[in-house]
Amino acid sequence: MFRVFARNGAGGVSVILATAAAALRKAEEFRDDGFRTVSVLDASGATINETELIVIAQAESKGA
């Protein structure tokens, strides 16, 4: 489970997604929509950078 946060000034939005690949897509969508700050957290609440998220998504696609 991954939580993607997006902030733009005082406003923000958060979504919970089941896979790293879905979290990557949502983070990209938020950036494309003009959100200034986008962050991804894992199920324990730790922040995950984009490189780590890509590695996790690749492992998911291989069935790991």
Side-chain angles (χ1 to χ4, degrees), residues 9-56:
V13 69
S14 168
V15 295
I16 297 173
L17 300 154
T19 66
L24 272 172
R25 288 190 300 272
K26 183 53 78 174
E28 183 177 334
E29 179 183 327
F30 282 153
R31 282 190 215 101
D32 290 346
D33 288 346
F35 284 94
R36 292 183 211 164
T37 304
V38 177
S39 57
V40 179
L41 287 76
D42 66 12
S44 70
T47 301
I48 300 175
N49 67 43
E50 189 170 349
T51 302
E52 293 171 318
L53 198 56
I54 290 169
V55 170
I56 295 167

